Every structure is written in C-alpha cells, then in structure tokens.
Amino acid sequence: MSSGNPIGVFDSGIGGLTVFRSIMEQLPGYDYIYLGDNGRAPYGNRSFSTIHQYTWECVQWMFEQGCPLVILACNTASAKALRTIQQQDLPVQNANKRVLGVIRPTAEVIGNYTQSNKIGVLGTTGTVQSDSYPIEIAHFFPELKVYQQACPLWVPLIESGEYNKPGADYYVQLYLDELMSQSPDIDTILLACTHYPLLIEKIKAHLPRHIKVVAQGDIVAASLVDYLQRHPEIEQRLSNTGSRSFYTTMDDTANFDAHASLFFKSALTSTYVDVRKTCK
Amino acid sequence: MSSGNPIGVFDSGIGGLTVFRSIMEQLPGYDYIYLGDNGRAPYGNRSFSTIHQYTWECVQWMFEQGCPLVILACNTASAKALRTIQQQDLPVQNANKRVLGVIRPTAEVIGNYTQSNKIGVLGTTGTVQSDSYPIEIAHFFPELKVYQQACPLWVPLIESGEYNKPGADYYVQLYLDELMSQSPDIDTILLACTHYPLLIEKIKAHLPRHIKVVAQGDIVAASLVDYLQRHPEIEQRLSNTGSRSFYTTMDDTANFDAHASLFFKSALTSTYVDVRKTCK
C-alpha cells in the first residue's frame, strides 16, 4: 500500500475543512490531501474565467501529487468552474481523473428532507446570485420551491471568531427572518456555504424546532461513499494508509493553521505551495 | 497643460477612495489616477514579500501612466511595502519618482490633537499587529501613550452595507469599549483604516463628546499640500487639467464601481488593468 494516491479535497480557503472533516469521518481509511487557495481567496467576487483558471491550477497540482479523484469542497468553484473542468479540461488532459463538486450531491438528496416541498438555501452573495442551487435542484426535484437568502456577514463573523458570541445573534436572526418572510412554509434549510456549520447551533436556536437545518458535509461524504461503491475503477486506485496532509497557497502558514483548526476541529500543520501554471 | 502627469493614488481595494476624496477636495486642480488592486485584495493576511511585490507592481504601473508621485492610500501597503520601495526600489529604478504613504503624515500630527497624551488607534488586525503606528508616532511624539484595538468586523460591516444599520452598533460599541478599557484618559482616537470613515457617525455617537475622532483623509491631504509646497521640483511636473481616472485589477469592474461610489461619495466608472510584471 503506497500513500501515493490520495483523495484531494480543494477549497478556495478553509471552509472546505468542514466538508473534509465529514468525509474523513465516513471514509477514514484513505489517504487525503487538502489544498486551500488562501493566497488568492476569496473567490466570490472574481469572474468565471478567473475562478476556472485558479481552480484548474489547483486541481492539476493535486493530480501531480497523485490524486485520482479531487473533491471541490467549495461552492464557488463547484458553481463556476466544475462544469468546464468536467466537460472541457478533463477529457483532453486527464481523462482517467475525476473531479466532483458539492452542489450536485446536495441537490440530489435535499428533496428527501422536506415535507412542505419548500426549502431555504443560505449562502454567500455569489452563490445566491449564481442561482446554482435552484437550477440544480430543479433537475432532481422539479416540484420543490427553493427560496434563497444571501448572508454576507456570516463568513466575516466566523473568521473573526465572533460566531459564538452574542453580537452574532442579530445577524443570524436578520438573515433567517428575511428568508422565512419569503415563505412561512419552509421546513428545510440548507447551509450552502462550507463556513456556516460553525453557526449551526445559533441558527437552530433562532428557528422553530420543526425546521430541519442541513449542513453539506455529511451529504457530500455520504455521496462519496456511494460514488466509490459505484466506481471501483477509481476506488481501486486510491491508496489507504490513513495519511492526511494540508497545503495552502498563503505564505503565512501559521495564520492558516490557527484558523483552520476551528473548521477541522483539531490542530493541523500546513505547507506552503505555489500552484500557478502561468506565473512561476 | 498636458493630462499626462497625474498624481497616482493606490490602495489594495476601495478604502483608499476616502483618502482620495479628501485629497481631491483640497487639491482639485491636478490630474489623478486611482488604482485598486482588488483582484489580489485583501492584502492583510499576506506576507511582507508578497505585499511588497504587489504594491511595487502597482506603483510601477502608475509610473508607466506618467505619475511622478504616487500616494499609498493603504495602511497595509504603507506599513509593509513603503520603506522597501523608498529605500531600495526607487533609488535603483526610478530615482526621479516619489512614493508617499499614510502612516508617517498621520504620525507627524496626531500628537497635536491630544491634551491627555493618550491616544487610541483603531485598525485592522494586520495594522495593529504590525505596531506601525506606535513605532512611527514615537519618533514624533515620544511622550504619547498609544493604545491599539483591532476591529476585524468593521470592514465586513462596511462592505456588506450594514454599517449604517442597527446591527453595527453592537460591534462599534464592542471595539470602542475594549479600547477605552485600556485607558479611560484617551481623548483622541485615530481611525487607522481607510474604510472606517463610513462608520464615523456611529463611532462618535458611542463616545463621550470630549473625545476627538480623527480620520486619515484630511491629514493625508493636508500633508500633501505641504509636501508639494516644499517640493516644487515634483509639483512642477504635475499636470493639472482636473482629470480623474479609476482603474482596478478586478475583472468585475461593475462590482468595483457599485462599492466604490459609497467610499468616493459620487458615481464613478473604472477600467480593468493587469499590472502583473511576472505573470502576463
């Protein structure tokens, strides 16, 4: 058993570590590498072509580390880069590699959580404006009504360590009120941002008990378990010594490590890498 | 009169527009170009060498547009890149050009505002951790005691448009309480971040009336008036048709324009530029 063929988990920053945590808990035996493109984060405001360029550079770097399979644990990259990578890049350059995102696996199952057929989606401004979730969910659950709400202050509240303090209550209530005012019949709320699980207790506390709050990590992990069962040609190429390595494109790795442990729920040590293809 | 030799005003993003606004009001006759490196913002978490590289690339681009003089209207670039540019880059490559920052002009006069000789400095985590203000102020006012407080949520509150709404009060009060708890005798508070002037009314409302709240824009503009009087060899090279142009390294210029008008207090239209020297 070599540790040379890990599963790659990618995010523009550190939020993807909440998804990685869930994947690791459900599939602990494989080798993993995590890459955060913190040196170029946040991706949210950038154009389609820039997000595709950055994401593809990171994915190629993970392929070079031996990954047969890369998970884009990032809503922005999944919304704006994944299709081009799957349809244009991979067939030409890496036909035997696979790249999966977080939006489709979520869309495939989210309809199973609701009785009212009305769900809420909370995300960053970029994710909400992209309409990726309503569009993708309609493929699998055309009868569902999807209500969206952008929560632009939640990521800053989380990254500044205020997420579990009283001031955050105002902004949790503010965005939840704006969502629920769109339809009082919403009975399921999807956290469509990898940061938001850190606020999940406050979110639940501000909602009636019958409303389910769904984080993506467990859905994506369950979907990966299923994917590997259905694709033995990929699964058999994965090494499984249980190793985990963390990489970031931010040269201040200590800063990454300090923030990352909150999301990963245990201490970690990262290594700086330069993934740029066009700018070495 | 040619419009070919504007004053350059640089920031990592859009905050520098508050400084530019003040400069333009005090010196309306000159030509100006503003450059925001939004495509690579925020600078705060980046290393010294990266901040220097990015800033120097932007400064060189402004030199190429004809600027004899560039103002770094950015606390991070002023703290982490200006000295290297002034001492190493300019003498070798552009000995007849000048680059000025926002920290030294502020440090030169801030002591004139206080009677108690105790001042507070509010800034981003990066600015506070750099200790640039206490170090620089000590050169001019060694008797001053400088108390610092990082306000990590103020920039997100401003950029998400929440700065003039009730939820912001909590975080204005929080950071001001933490600052004032360091010394009740503080009688002058410096806003050492170019975003913070948008919060100035809330800040004043949360403080006793005798405490002065000082924004950097007017100080930096007054310092530039003085500098140009003392340096006619620079002043005479400036063109003065009253033109203003705005550039950003973010490819989504509409996004820049929408946010920028809040800081600049009037509508503007920007043009995308790629300033990279090593990565065309």
Side-chain angles (χ1 to χ4, degrees):
Chain A
M1 284 186 298
S2 131
S3 65
N5 296 109
I7 294 173
V9 182
F10 165 76
D11 182 29
S12 60
I14 53 179
L17 288 164
T18 63
V19 175
F20 181 25
R21 182 87 214 170
S22 297
I23 291 174
M24 228 180 58
E25 285 171 0
Q26 291 197 36
L27 294 164
Y30 297 110
D31 300 319
Y32 293 93
I33 60 175
Y34 183 90
L35 172 62
D37 194 10
N38 306 75
R40 303 187 292 192
Y43 279 13
N45 278 336
R46 310 207 192 282
S47 68
F48 259 83
S49 69
T50 300
I51 293 169
H52 168 254
Q53 179 205 325
Y54 288 179
T55 305
W56 181 230
E57 284 176 349
C58 288
V59 167
Q60 286 174 287
W61 183 86
M62 297 184 106
F63 288 166
E64 290 160 14
Q65 311 316 305
C67 296
L69 173 65
V70 172
I71 314 294
L72 304 186
C74 171
N75 281 284
T76 303
S78 297
K80 298 191 174 172
L82 181 60
R83 181 170 304 188
T84 307
I85 289 174
Q86 286 177 333
Q87 296 184 353
Q88 294 178 24
D89 300 328
L90 290 180
V92 176
Q93 295 181 50
N94 294 88
N96 64 340
K97 308 273 192 178
R98 293 292 176 271
V99 180
L100 305 173
V102 291
I103 298 178
R104 185 171 166 158
T106 307
E108 282 178 345
V109 301
I110 193 68
N112 302 333
Y113 290 83
T114 175
Q115 258 109 51
S116 67
N117 278 348
K118 292 187 169 59
I119 72 157
V121 172
L122 302 173
T124 63
T125 304
T127 295
V128 167
Q129 285 178 345
S130 77
D131 274 335
S132 298
Y133 277 93
I135 292 167
E136 197 75 22
I137 290 169
H139 292 152
F140 300 99
F141 299 97
E143 72 285 9
L144 274 197
K145 288 269 289 179
V146 179
Y147 301 89
Q148 298 190 97
Q149 177 63 42
C151 312
L153 274 164
W154 284 7
V155 168
L157 284 165
I158 290 163
E159 294 200 341
S160 64
E162 290 288 331
Y163 63 94
N164 54 3
K165 296 180 187 162
D169 291 329
Y170 177 91
Y171 293 103
V172 169
Q173 188 72 56
L174 176 71
Y175 299 134
L176 291 176
D177 284 352
E178 292 188 12
L179 174 67
M180 296 306 294
S181 73
Q182 297 182 51
S183 168
D185 298 331
I186 291 168
D187 69 351
T188 302
I189 292 179
L190 172 67
L191 306 185
C193 170
T194 56
H195 277 65
Y196 295 175
L198 277 79
L199 276 172
I200 199 164
E201 294 311 320
K202 272 201 198 293
I203 293 168
K204 287 180 175 170
H206 280 277
L207 288 168
R209 280 208 189 163
H210 74 278
I211 297 182
K212 297 189 200 78
V213 181
V214 183
Q216 290 184 292
D218 292 340
I219 291 177
V220 172
S223 166
L224 182 60
V225 170
D226 180 58
Y227 178 89
L228 293 176
Q229 285 170 351
R230 289 184 292 109
H231 294 275
E233 78 284 3
I234 298 290
E235 197 282 333
Q236 285 161 11
R237 289 159 60 198
L238 297 172
S239 54
N240 47 6
T241 68
S243 71
R244 290 97 177 80
S245 304
F246 301 86
Y247 299 91
T248 174
T249 63
M250 176 161 70
D251 42 14
D252 182 357
T253 58
N255 189 315
F256 177 89
D257 297 351
H259 280 85
S261 60
L262 272 179
F263 291 76
F264 195 60
K265 293 189 190 161
S266 64
L268 59 88
T269 304
S270 64
T271 303
Y272 169 73
V273 288
D274 184 350
V275 302
R276 290 172 293 182
K277 291 288 176 196
T278 56
C279 187
K280 287 287 185 187
Chain B
M1 285 185 299
S2 135
S3 65
N5 296 109
I7 295 173
V9 181
F10 165 76
D11 182 29
S12 60
I14 52 179
L17 288 165
T18 63
V19 175
F20 181 25
R21 182 88 215 169
S22 297
I23 290 175
M24 229 179 58
E25 286 171 359
Q26 292 197 34
L27 294 164
Y30 297 109
D31 299 320
Y32 293 93
I33 60 175
Y34 183 90
L35 172 62
D37 194 11
N38 306 75
R40 305 187 290 192
Y43 279 13
N45 279 336
R46 310 208 191 283
S47 69
F48 260 84
S49 68
T50 300
I51 293 168
H52 169 253
Q53 179 205 325
Y54 288 178
T55 305
W56 180 229
E57 284 176 350
C58 289
V59 167
Q60 287 175 286
W61 183 86
M62 296 184 107
F63 287 167
E64 290 161 12
Q65 309 316 305
C67 297
L69 172 66
V70 172
I71 314 295
L72 304 185
C74 171
N75 281 282
T76 303
S78 297
K80 298 191 175 172
L82 181 59
R83 182 171 304 187
T84 307
I85 289 174
Q86 287 178 332
Q87 297 183 354
Q88 294 178 24
D89 300 328
L90 289 181
V92 175
Q93 296 182 51
N94 294 88
N96 64 339
K97 308 272 192 179
R98 293 292 175 271
V99 180
L100 305 173
V102 292
I103 298 177
R104 184 170 165 161
T106 307
E108 282 177 346
V109 301
I110 193 67
N112 303 332
Y113 290 82
T114 175
Q115 258 110 51
S116 67
N117 278 348
K118 291 187 169 60
I119 73 158
V121 172
L122 301 173
T124 63
T125 304
T127 295
V128 166
Q129 285 178 347
S130 76
D131 274 335
S132 299
Y133 278 93
I135 292 168
E136 197 75 23
I137 290 170
H139 292 151
F140 300 99
F141 300 98
E143 72 284 9
L144 274 197
K145 287 270 287 181
V146 180
Y147 302 89
Q148 297 190 98
Q149 177 62 43
C151 312
L153 274 164
W154 284 7
V155 168
L157 284 165
I158 291 163
E159 294 200 340
S160 64
E162 290 287 332
Y163 61 95
N164 53 3
K165 296 181 186 161
D169 291 329
Y170 177 90
Y171 292 103
V172 169
Q173 188 73 56
L174 176 71
Y175 299 134
L176 290 176
D177 284 352
E178 291 187 12
L179 174 67
M180 296 307 294
S181 74
Q182 296 181 53
S183 168
D185 299 331
I186 292 169
D187 69 351
T188 302
I189 292 179
L190 171 68
L191 306 184
C193 170
T194 56
H195 277 65
Y196 295 175
L198 277 79
L199 278 172
I200 198 165
E201 294 310 321
K202 270 200 198 294
I203 293 168
K204 285 179 176 172
H206 280 279
L207 287 169
R209 280 208 187 164
H210 75 278
I211 297 183
K212 297 187 200 79
V213 181
V214 183
Q216 289 185 294
D218 293 340
I219 291 178
V220 171
S223 166
L224 182 59
V225 172
D226 179 59
Y227 178 88
L228 292 176
Q229 285 169 351
R230 289 185 293 108
H231 294 275
E233 79 284 3
I234 298 291
E235 198 281 335
Q236 285 160 12
R237 288 159 59 198
L238 297 172
S239 54
N240 47 7
T241 68
S243 72
R244 291 96 177 80
S245 303
F246 300 86
Y247 299 91
T248 172
T249 63
M250 175 161 72
D251 42 15
D252 183 357
T253 58
N255 189 315
F256 177 89
D257 297 350
H259 280 85
S261 59
L262 273 179
F263 292 75
F264 194 59
K265 293 188 191 163
S266 64
L268 59 88
T269 304
S270 63
T271 303
Y272 169 72
V273 287
D274 184 350
V275 301
R276 292 173 292 182
K277 291 287 176 197
T278 56
C279 187
K280 289 286 185 187

